[in-house]
Amino acid sequence: MSNSMEKQQRTNNGKSPDWKIQLDVGENGVAIITINRPPLNLLSVDVVLSLKENIEEAMRKENVKAIVITGSRGNFSAGFDVTAFGGNQQKRTQRELGFMSIEFITDTLEAARKPIVAAVEGLALGGGFEIALACHARISTSTSKLGLPELQYGILPGLGGTQRLPRLVGLPKALKMILMSKRVSGEVACNMRLVDAISPPDQLLGSACQWALDILECRRPWSINLFRTDRLAPLAEARTLLNSARAQIQKQNPNVIHPLVCIDVIEHGILCGPRNGLWKEAEALHELRQSDSCRGLVHVFFAKQSTSKIPGITDMGLRPRKINKVAILGGSLMSSGIAIVLLLANHYVIMKYIDQNSLQNGIDRVKANLEGHFKQGRMTQEHYRKTCTLLKGVLSYDGFKDVDLVIEDVPDVVSLKQQTFADLDECCPPHCIFASNTCTVNLDLIGERMKPCREIVGIHLFSRPSVTDLLEIVRTERTSPQVIVDLLNFGRRIQRTPIVVRNFTGFAVRRMCFPYLQAAMLLVEHGADVYQIDKALASFGMKLGPFRMVDQDGFQSATVQDAKFLETFPDRSCKSNLIPIMRKNNREGESNCQGFYTYNDKGEASPDPKISKYIEMARSMSGITIKSKLATLSDGEIVEMILFPVLNEACRMISEAIIVKSSDLDVASVMGMGFPAYRGGIIFWSHSVGSKYICSKLEDWSKEYGEFFKPCAYLVERASKKSSLGMPIKQAKSPL
């Protein structure tokens, strides 16, 4: 662009907003329209209106031959601000519903008499990506990220994405991107013919301008994607694909409707024409924005954003120190899982073992997992080889002189853990953070033999670190604000959502799982059916019913944790003999293919009629008789009798300040114990049930079945005031 460039800026009614749409016309006759709302260039109604005005202005200018739309500061646009969704919407007229998608995107942008090219760098998501789809060509950097994440928030693409994407890349790829909210890189997008060419970042605008001029001179195709049919499957094949997608969605989660609505909208466009599809899309978006699922999913989104904001710590202005090299102590499957997560995040990892055989087995296990990523196409061969070089196995502490973080994962024996940290104290640098992955042993007890100047913190990555995106950071009285800031940043770097919890038995997730499992055991021993319980919770939306959960975790782990909870909370614990009896009969859960279910070589679970024998033995040993009420519970009653005790425990954690904010428990329940995200998390869900109803049910059950169900003082107090159980989080601007 030359110094003689003509500039036009449109802002919001003459005010000074946090955004502007800038129009620059160069000597080559190409107008560059820049969305400037850093850092992510989020859209809003005003931003879109201003974009429309600038496009219309460029159309009127005689010195403008073509147009390029781009974003400022390395991002195209990450879509609409999520704060625009999940609230009550007034009834809108037909014109208002279709204004953005039809009057602007289709009839102004896509129907423009001058070629419009999108120059895509960084994020092009949601509405931002849909603007790019409506352009006549797309030039992208190789590392850009493009996608339609709307279904993660309970809605569907609303600026024509349901109609244009299938016509551009074909129905199978479009369904995968939309229904899975899958992002693709610019390089992958080019291979899919989703973008027309790849350009280095420093040449992106020049390439896009030239492409636009080439379209004008008929050297490049002028593509109107909405009316393309060459990549759409024949009608019969398309219906088969859509019905298959419906069946898969209904099998995975029968309670959510927005993916099915999205499929219906795609189908409507194929059957009735794309413009009719756009109207259907606009109407569906308006309805879904008012749904409970949308409100729940948007709440979870903001709750996740909020977990890293710790009053009195993250507002102190502390800068996180870099954690580059991490040492892991322990040879378990958990240790290997932690190593894989760190390696994939580009950390140097040292794994210490007690003998050469354990070392070789552990290193081989990690490398085999990484090789699986390569074979599945999730990393290139070069990336695989480079990642393997970041891993080192050792038998001594000689290489610990420059480690930034040590994660201890040795067996939960107090004396062994104490000696481990005493040894580490002698060989690690002063800045090194000492962390334990335990979820049962008190951290203060573990660190008793360390020097007074040393701190210890908990880093809990759960039993399957590679599939659980949650990180519990457990602070003690000795944990400094600097270490918390360091680990919050570390959590983000390893692509985990961190929650900070206080050092107390079970922390957050395990403490909620405790009543989840205990309530299920109590019901079964008094007459309820194991498989009906799991089915009822699965139908509610839980990822795993309590008995599938305990099978997955393993009976050994369950035994250790039960003992710890019985010791800590003797007044509200139900001692069950069922798992000890099953262990005596060589049943350990999924690990040996025999638990409450049996498992085939594919890991598929099947009910086992032999379980009734063990239940009878447990009843006999405990002197329990079947209660007819519990033997004939409906699915809804089962859900209440298992989840209300979980809510009760969550209330205790709020009152004891185990967590920073109540919304952290929503995140913990969704990401840590498989609570359905579309219900907003355990505390958010309670708002729809009502604290008074929850408390009254618990009081009734406690009179009939014991102290386990007795509502805590916090819950009783909230119920007496008819107040909700948690406090709302402050919403920050975030992309969609």
Side-chain angles (χ1 to χ4, degrees):
M1 295 292 167
S2 68
N3 292 330
S4 61
M5 182 182 297
E6 177 185 357
K7 295 186 177 181
Q8 296 285 336
Q9 294 185 359
R10 298 286 181 268
T11 58
N12 186 15
N13 298 324
K15 298 178 183 178
S16 299
D18 62 350
W19 59 270
K20 63 183 176 181
I21 303 297
Q22 183 169 318
L23 170 60
D24 302 319
V25 183
E27 290 180 348
N28 60 1
V30 179
I32 297 179
I33 298 177
T34 305
I35 304 169
N36 189 353
R37 193 187 186 187
L40 299 177
N41 299 322
L42 298 180
L43 301 176
S44 67
V45 172
D46 287 336
V47 170
V48 171
L49 287 173
S50 182
L51 181 59
K52 179 177 182 289
E53 289 172 8
N54 276 268
I55 291 173
E56 291 170 337
E57 176 78 9
M59 290 295 158
R60 290 191 295 268
K61 286 182 175 292
E62 293 183 0
N63 63 333
V64 172
K65 301 176 183 177
I67 300 168
V68 168
I69 299 177
T70 191
S72 67
R73 303 191 191 182
N75 281 308
F76 185 78
S77 171
F80 275 88
D81 189 335
V82 180
T83 56
F85 298 98
N88 291 322
Q89 307 291 326
Q90 293 180 347
K91 187 70 176 175
R92 296 188 175 187
T93 66
Q94 184 84 341
R95 184 182 180 277
E96 288 174 325
L97 283 173
F99 174 78
M100 287 194 189
S101 179
I102 297 174
E103 190 169 328
F104 168 45
I105 299 295
T106 303
D107 294 344
T108 301
L109 193 161
E110 194 170 39
R113 302 182 313 278
K114 299 174 183 179
I116 302 178
V117 174
V120 178
E121 184 179 8
L123 297 177
L125 303 175
F129 180 43
E130 290 174 286
I131 288 172
L133 286 175
C135 292
H136 306 126
R138 285 151 298 285
I139 312 300
S140 172
T141 63
S142 61
T143 57
S144 296
K145 296 295 182 185
L146 305 93
L148 296 171
E150 283 87 350
L151 265 72
Q152 293 180 351
Y153 309 102
I155 56 173
L156 82 171
L159 294 184
T162 63
Q163 305 305 308
R164 290 185 179 87
L165 189 60
R167 287 167 171 78
L168 190 58
V169 301
L171 194 53
K173 291 176 182 176
L175 284 171
K176 188 173 184 180
M177 283 189 69
I178 295 172
L179 296 179
M180 297 177 65
S181 298
K182 183 182 179 182
R183 301 181 185 187
V184 297
S185 67
E187 185 176 0
V188 171
C190 190
N191 293 333
M192 296 168 62
R193 297 186 290 184
L194 183 55
V195 302
D196 296 274
I198 295 295
S199 172
D202 59 345
Q203 299 174 29
L204 179 62
L205 279 180
S207 298
C209 288
Q210 187 57 54
W211 200 283
L213 292 172
D214 287 346
I215 293 175
L216 183 69
E217 299 297 329
C218 300
R219 291 190 293 268
R220 302 281 187 187
W222 190 317
S223 180
I224 308 295
N225 293 324
L226 185 64
F227 298 104
R228 291 184 65 163
T229 58
D230 56 308
R231 293 175 189 169
L232 281 180
L235 185 57
E237 183 182 338
R239 277 181 160 161
T240 299
L241 288 167
L242 292 166
N243 287 334
S244 175
R246 283 190 185 96
Q248 190 173 0
I249 291 293
Q250 288 172 325
K251 182 179 179 181
Q252 290 174 346
N253 203 328
N255 296 326
V256 295
I257 63 165
H258 59 280
L260 300 175
V261 171
C262 185
I263 294 170
D264 290 344
V265 168
I266 294 171
E267 184 175 48
H268 188 81
I270 294 172
L271 296 176
C272 304
R275 197 170 181 91
N276 283 326
L278 292 177
W279 284 114
K280 185 79 170 177
E281 178 189 81
E283 292 165 1
L285 176 62
H286 178 64
E287 293 299 322
L288 290 174
R289 284 173 63 175
Q290 303 174 77
S291 69
D292 290 338
S293 291
C294 180
R295 280 188 278 270
L297 289 165
V298 168
H299 170 78
V300 170
F301 175 86
F302 283 112
K304 286 181 181 179
Q305 302 293 309
S306 177
T307 61
S308 295
K309 298 171 184 175
I310 316 297
I313 293 180
T314 55
D315 51 7
M316 292 175 65
L318 296 171
R319 299 188 67 177
R321 298 172 296 182
K322 286 188 177 180
I323 295 175
N324 294 318
K325 183 178 284 189
V326 183
I328 302 170
L329 278 63
S332 66
L333 290 172
M334 167 72 83
S335 302
S336 299
I338 295 171
I340 292 161
V341 169
L342 300 183
L343 290 165
L344 291 174
N346 207 34
H347 285 81
Y348 289 98
V349 175
I350 299 174
M351 299 189 73
K352 183 183 179 299
Y353 295 89
I354 57 174
D355 58 61
Q356 184 63 40
N357 187 51
S358 299
L359 185 152
Q360 195 60 53
N361 289 338
I363 298 297
D364 288 347
R365 187 161 54 234
V366 173
K367 288 186 175 179
N369 186 286
L370 295 174
E371 186 177 7
H373 279 69
F374 163 60
K375 288 180 177 178
Q376 294 165 16
R378 296 160 68 184
M379 61 167 54
T380 64
Q381 188 169 19
E382 181 183 355
H383 187 195
Y384 164 66
R385 288 173 178 168
K386 182 181 177 182
T387 303
C388 287
T389 64
L390 300 175
L391 176 64
K392 182 180 180 182
V394 299
L395 297 174
S396 69
Y397 292 110
D398 292 343
F400 281 50
K401 295 178 181 179
D402 60 346
V403 296
D404 303 307
L405 169 67
V406 176
I407 301 175
E408 167 272 313
D409 186 43
V410 302
D412 281 340
V413 178
V414 174
S415 59
L416 176 60
K417 288 181 179 289
Q418 288 177 334
Q419 186 58 53
T420 297
F421 280 104
D423 294 340
L424 287 168
D425 211 358
E426 300 298 325
C427 59
C428 292
H431 76 273
C432 181
I433 299 171
F434 287 180
S436 174
N437 191 53
T438 186
C439 64
T440 57
V441 182
N442 187 299
L443 294 173
D444 291 321
L445 188 60
I446 292 173
E448 278 188 351
R449 298 188 194 175
M450 296 191 315
K451 295 172 184 173
C453 60
R454 284 283 192 190
E455 302 175 42
I456 189 169
V457 69
I459 289 182
H460 191 209
L461 280 147
F462 303 94
S463 58
R464 298 191 178 191
S466 60
V467 297
T468 304
D469 293 338
L470 184 69
L471 172 68
E472 279 184 321
I473 299 170
V474 188
R475 59 178 174 180
T476 69
E477 297 300 323
R478 292 170 60 181
T479 306
S480 68
Q482 181 64 61
V483 167
I484 297 297
V485 169
D486 294 343
L487 292 178
L488 287 170
N489 185 60
F490 172 71
R492 287 189 290 269
R493 285 186 62 192
I494 63 173
Q495 298 181 18
R496 293 296 179 272
T497 299
I499 59 169
V500 177
V501 299
R502 197 159 61 83
N503 179 31
F504 199 81
T505 300
F507 313 137
V509 173
R510 288 294 177 188
R511 192 158 162 191
M512 284 191 289
C513 287
F514 168 62
Y516 185 62
L517 299 174
Q518 284 229 326
M521 295 290 181
L522 185 150
L523 293 186
V524 163
E525 290 196 1
H526 285 85
D529 179 72
V530 166
Y531 305 113
Q532 186 194 358
I533 288 173
D534 271 7
K535 180 176 174 291
L537 271 299
S539 296
F540 174 81
M542 294 295 294
K543 188 174 181 180
L544 293 173
F547 297 104
R548 276 286 285 117
M549 180 183 284
V550 75
D551 269 8
Q552 187 179 90
D553 287 348
F555 287 4
Q556 181 179 357
S557 173
T559 301
V560 172
Q561 289 172 34
D562 276 353
K564 186 65 180 176
F565 280 104
L566 285 165
E567 176 189 334
T568 309
F569 310 118
D571 56 326
R572 60 176 188 271
S573 296
C574 302
K575 181 174 173 57
S576 171
N577 294 304
L578 184 51
I579 286 181
I581 288 171
M582 293 173 72
R583 293 193 74 191
K584 286 179 181 178
N585 286 271
N586 195 35
R587 301 179 83 97
E588 292 292 346
E590 203 171 316
S591 61
N592 75 340
C593 300
Q594 292 187 101
F596 286 96
Y597 296 79
T598 57
Y599 299 85
N600 61 21
D601 55 2
K602 295 180 181 179
E604 296 168 336
S606 299
D608 188 351
K610 295 179 184 176
I611 292 300
S612 58
K613 175 178 68 175
Y614 304 124
I615 294 171
E616 288 297 335
M617 292 170 65
R619 284 180 188 142
S620 177
M621 186 176 293
S622 303
I624 293 173
T625 57
I626 292 177
K627 295 186 181 293
S628 58
K629 279 186 182 180
L630 300 184
T632 56
L633 292 171
S634 68
D635 284 1
E637 290 169 328
I638 288 172
V639 168
E640 290 184 353
M641 291 196 78
I642 288 180
L643 290 184
F644 285 6
V646 177
L647 271 169
N648 199 22
E649 199 64 37
C651 287
R652 291 188 178 97
M653 284 190 275
I654 294 171
S655 66
E656 296 165 7
I658 299 299
I659 40 85
V660 177
K661 57 187 81 70
S662 59
S663 61
D664 289 353
L665 291 173
D666 288 325
V667 175
S669 64
V670 168
M671 303 187 73
M673 66 179 293
F675 193 89
Y678 61 86
R679 296 189 189 274
I682 191 74
I683 299 296
F684 187 85
W685 171 69
S686 73
H687 302 164
S688 65
V689 182
S691 58
K692 186 175 182 180
Y693 177 77
I694 294 164
C695 186
S696 67
K697 296 298 285 187
L698 287 168
E699 285 173 340
D700 291 344
W701 296 331
S702 66
K703 293 172 185 174
E704 196 162 354
Y705 308 117
E707 292 291 300
F708 172 76
F709 289 105
K710 184 177 180 180
C712 68
Y714 175 88
L715 176 52
V716 172
E717 185 265 333
R718 301 296 282 187
S720 68
K721 297 178 180 178
K722 298 182 181 179
S723 301
S724 64
L725 299 183
M727 300 299 291
I729 61 172
K730 184 179 180 180
Q731 294 185 346
K733 290 181 179 178
S734 303
L736 177 56

